[in-house]
Amino acid sequence: MPDRNVTVLWALRSWCASHKCLPCYFNWPENATLQALPRSGVLDHQSPDDVPTQQLFAFARTLGDSPVRRVFLAGGEPLLWAPALKLIEILKTQRIEVVVCTSGPALNKPGMAERLVDLGVDAFSVSLDSTDAEYNDRWRPPRKPGFGWEGVVNGIRTVLTARGDRPQPRVGIYSMITKLNLDAITTVPRLAAELGCDYFVAQPVSLPADHNLHDELVLTETDIPRLRREFGQLYASGLPLTLPSVDYPGQFVSAVQESTGLVRDCFGGNDLFFVEPDGSVWDCPSALRIAQTPPQRRRSIRETTAADAFRPAGCADCALFSVDCVNMWPLMGFDRVVDPAPAGSTS
C-alpha cells in the first residue's frame, strides 16, 4: 500500500447547470481568454472534450493503489451531473476522502443530501459570497428557479439536517472576495456559525488581466488596510468555526501586493494535483504554472492509472506564487476540518 499524502482537486465536467457565476475560473464565451495558455490548460464551460463517464469511472477505480488520500470534487456543479453519486461511491470504496465543492441548491433535491451522507462524503464546501441575497445573486446568477441565495442557504440546512448528530460530513462555506464584498470576510462566517456550519474560508477572486471584470473585481493594494481589519476581526471573533491557519491572511495579502513571488518547497506536483474535465493532469491549478509546464510533462487520466498520473515529483521551489496559490493552502490544511478540532480553532 503506497503512502497516501496526495490531494487532488478534480474539476469533473465543463458545463455548469447551476449558476452562471460571472467571475468563474471557467471561461464563459463572452469573456476574454488567456490565449497564451495551452488549449488544454484553459477551462471552458463549452468544452466538448470531457472524459467519457465510463473511462472516468475506470480511472477512479485505480485510486486505491495510488498515493491519493483526498479528492475535492468540483465542477461545473458536480451534484447536477447524474453520474456523480456513482463516482463518489467508487471513490469511497477506494478508501478516498471525498470533499464535494458545491453551489448548494442541488442538496435540496429530495433524498440527495441523505444519499450523500450515507455514501460517506467527508465534507461539503458550499459557495456563498454574501449575506446580501441581491449581491450574491448578481454575481452568481442562478440558472434555475430556486437556485438563488435562499436555495444555497436551504441546501446547507438540508445537509446539516441529514447529518444529524453524526460528526461527518463537515459542512463549510467558501466566499469569493472581491473589491465589492470585503465585508463578507466577517459577515458570512457569522451566518455560517448561525447555520451550524463547521468551517469558513475567504478566498481572493482570481481573474486574468484580460477578463472583462478584472478591473471591477480584482483586489489591489488600496484594499489591503481593509483586508487586514476584516481578517483581524474574523480571527479575534471566537466564532465556533475552523478557519485557515493564522498564516493565511498574510498569504492572502501577499498575493494582492505582488503579482508573483517565491514559494519554497511548493506542494504542487508533490502533494497536490489538479485534474481538468478533459482529463489533463497538472501540478496545481495555477494558470502561471500550467502555462510553463513543458509538453513532455503534460499528463492525462485517460488510459492510465492513478499511480502513474499522480506520481509525486518531489517538492521544489516555485517562483510563480500568485493569487491562484492562495486558494490552495486551505485545501492542503484540510486535515483538521475532516478530523474535527475544538470549536474556534484554525487549521
Side-chain angles (χ1 to χ4, degrees), residues 204 219 250-260 321-324 326:
L219 297 159
Q251 295 162 344
F252 193 119
V253 169
S254 293
V256 174
Q257 286 177 313
E258 300 180 32
S259 58
T260 58
F321 171 74
S322 72
V323 69
D324 288 352
V326 177

Side-chain angles (χ1 to χ4, degrees), residues 82-161:
L85 293 180
K86 178 62 178 179
L87 175 63
I88 292 170
E89 181 180 359
I90 292 170
L91 294 175
K92 295 308 299 182
T93 63
Q94 299 297 308
R95 305 173 304 285
I96 302 295
E97 290 181 2
V98 175
V99 182
V100 177
C101 305
T102 176
S103 61
L107 294 166
N108 295 313
K109 184 178 179 181
M112 173 69 83
E114 292 79 6
R115 174 65 174 145
L116 290 164
V117 171
D118 289 343
L119 282 172
V121 170
D122 296 274
F124 292 91
S125 293
V126 183
S127 297
L128 187 72
D129 292 344
S130 181
T131 57
D132 180 343
E134 183 178 353
Y135 175 90
N136 190 82
D137 293 352
R138 175 188 173 192
W139 295 103
R140 294 185 182 271
R143 298 180 69 88
K144 297 185 177 185
F147 273 39
W149 188 92
E150 289 287 349
V152 179
V153 173
N154 287 338
I156 293 170
R157 291 192 179 107
T158 298
V159 75
L160 286 169
T161 298

Side-chain angles (χ1 to χ4, degrees), residues 217-234:
L217 298 182
V218 170
L219 297 159
T220 65
E221 290 198 26
T222 60
D223 301 305
I224 289 176
R226 178 76 182 280
L227 283 169
R228 293 190 191 279
R229 289 197 300 273
E230 295 288 341
F231 274 116
Q233 292 174 23
L234 172 61

Side-chain angles (χ1 to χ4, degrees), residues 1-6 63-69 270-271 310 312:
M1 173 67 64
D3 292 335
R4 307 189 85 166
N5 60 351
V6 167
L63 281 160
D65 294 320
S66 79
V68 175
R69 174 188 174 194
N270 190 67
D271 299 324
F310 305 126

Side-chain angles (χ1 to χ4, degrees), residues 144-311:
K144 297 185 177 185
F147 273 39
W149 188 92
E150 289 287 349
V152 179
V153 173
N154 287 338
I156 293 170
R157 291 192 179 107
T158 298
V159 75
L160 286 169
T161 298
R163 178 180 74 179
D165 295 332
R166 286 170 284 192
Q168 290 181 322
R170 311 302 282 170
V171 180
I173 293 179
Y174 267 67
S175 291
M176 181 181 295
I177 305 302
T178 75
K179 296 173 74 70
L180 305 180
N181 71 330
L182 289 163
D183 65 308
I185 296 172
T186 52
T187 58
V188 175
R190 287 199 292 270
L191 172 62
E194 291 170 7
L195 291 170
C197 293
D198 305 294
Y199 60 97
F200 170 76
V201 177
Q203 60 183 120
V205 66
S206 178
L207 295 174
D210 62 352
H211 194 286
N212 60 358
L213 295 173
H214 180 276
D215 293 345
E216 184 175 2
L217 298 182
V218 170
L219 297 159
T220 65
E221 290 198 26
T222 60
D223 301 305
I224 289 176
R226 178 76 182 280
L227 283 169
R228 293 190 191 279
R229 289 197 300 273
E230 295 288 341
F231 274 116
Q233 292 174 23
L234 172 61
Y235 279 73
S237 67
L239 289 172
L241 298 168
T242 298
L243 304 173
S245 77
V246 293
D247 297 329
Y248 181 70
Q251 295 162 344
F252 193 119
V253 169
S254 293
V256 174
Q257 286 177 313
E258 300 180 32
S259 58
T260 58
L262 179 67
V263 180
R264 296 199 178 277
D265 295 329
C266 179
F267 39 69
N270 190 67
D271 299 324
L272 173 68
F273 293 89
F274 174 51
V275 180
E276 292 184 352
D278 70 355
S280 298
V281 178
W282 307 98
D283 290 349
C284 72
S286 165
L288 297 178
R289 185 75 172 259
I290 290 172
Q292 293 199 14
T293 301
Q296 64 270 22
R297 289 200 57 224
R298 295 176 193 168
R299 290 153 291 162
S300 173
I301 69 171
R302 296 175 187 257
E303 299 179 0
T304 191
T305 67
D308 286 334
F310 305 126
R311 185 182 297 112

Side-chain angles (χ1 to χ4, degrees), residues 13-67:
R13 313 312 279 172
S14 296
W15 180 245
C16 186
S18 178
H19 293 73
K20 191 174 182 179
C21 303
L22 303 186
C24 184
Y25 65 103
F26 279 66
N27 285 319
W28 290 104
E30 62 270 27
N31 291 336
T33 60
L34 279 176
Q35 299 296 337
L37 289 179
R39 189 63 231 172
S40 59
V42 175
L43 291 164
D44 192 326
H45 279 303
Q46 302 286 344
S47 173
D49 299 322
D50 290 3
V51 176
T53 299
Q54 293 305 317
Q55 191 172 17
L56 186 148
F57 286 168
F59 176 81
R61 292 187 178 97
T62 71
L63 281 160
D65 294 320
S66 79

